[in-house]
Amino acid sequence: MVVRNGRAPSGVPPRAAAPVAFTAGRLWDRAKNAAALDRVAARLSVPLRAAGALDGPNGARGETRHLHRLGRLGDAGIAAELAGRPVFISLARYEPFGLAVLEAAASGCALVLSDIPSFRELWDGVAAFVGADDDAAAAEAVQGFLDDPVRREAAGAAAAQRAGRYGADAMTEGVLGVLHGLLAGAPARLGGAAA
């Protein structure tokens, strides 16, 4: 049984598309692949803005030279970044779901994602996929969106439409369906795999 994560829209109105790329996550976590993002940043003609902590609670530390580090941002800070509809990039090595990707998609950002099963399952057909360590392909995909505003706008609109499947209401309905099934003695069956 699967109940996919969901998020309510931020409520921050969109602005004109900013000429930047953006990522968010635990930059200290090797699974988030900040090293590859840093290499991508060195190849771009625009800043790759990165929200997230470089120091982890386990003593891990992310080292970057080219990312435009924003530090740890709260929900309002992330929403403000996403309101400019930057090209969003995640080169995670593995990800059960990816709330940052969902937030970016819901904001109408064009997506460049690592080609991993959970991202394919959730975003196939509305994102550009690249190898997690193929910084040349990732930079080319990001730059391609930046250089083609019409394609970028269409990709962002497609991502926003897909993000509508993963709202807070759908998540709540899924959890309630499971609970009702348990109370009735027959668990509910839900489709899909990524949670």
Side-chain angles (χ1 to χ4, degrees):
M1 293 179 288
V2 173
V3 176
R4 290 187 173 94
N5 283 322
R7 291 288 253 187
S10 71
V12 176
R15 299 187 311 269
V20 298
F22 179 71
T23 192
R26 298 178 306 271
L27 299 176
W28 56 266
D29 184 345
R30 293 174 74 187
K32 301 299 183 188
N33 207 5
L37 292 168
D38 196 50
R39 293 191 306 268
V40 169
R43 293 173 173 263
L44 295 176
S45 66
V46 300
L48 172 45
R49 296 168 62 82
L54 281 172
D55 296 309
N58 59 356
R61 176 158 175 74
E63 298 294 334
T64 65
R65 294 186 339 205
H66 305 289
L67 291 174
H68 181 91
R69 295 185 308 261
L70 303 172
R72 192 164 184 202
L73 299 180
D75 288 345
I78 295 287
E81 288 290 325
L82 294 175
R85 294 175 293 132
V87 176
F88 184 87
I89 181 170
S90 174
L91 297 179
R93 297 183 186 285
Y94 59 88
E95 183 73 69
F97 184 85
L99 284 174
V101 178
L102 174 57
E103 291 170 351
S107 296
C109 298
L111 305 174
V112 175
L113 306 175
S114 52
D115 196 355
I116 58 175
S118 56
F119 283 168
R120 274 278 180 192
E121 178 182 335
L122 298 167
W123 306 107
D124 196 26
V126 300
F129 291 97
V130 297
D133 288 307
D134 192 344
D135 40 287
E140 184 178 328
V142 170
Q143 198 67 53
F145 281 131
L146 291 166
D147 293 343
D148 188 342
V150 173
R151 185 169 153 257
R152 177 182 179 182
E153 183 74 26
Q161 183 175 7
R162 177 71 57 84
R165 296 182 185 177
Y166 312 121
D169 290 343
M171 180 179 63
T172 302
E173 285 180 32
V175 170
L176 290 175
V178 170
L179 293 174
H180 287 133
L182 290 171
L183 292 172
R189 296 283 175 207
L190 304 172

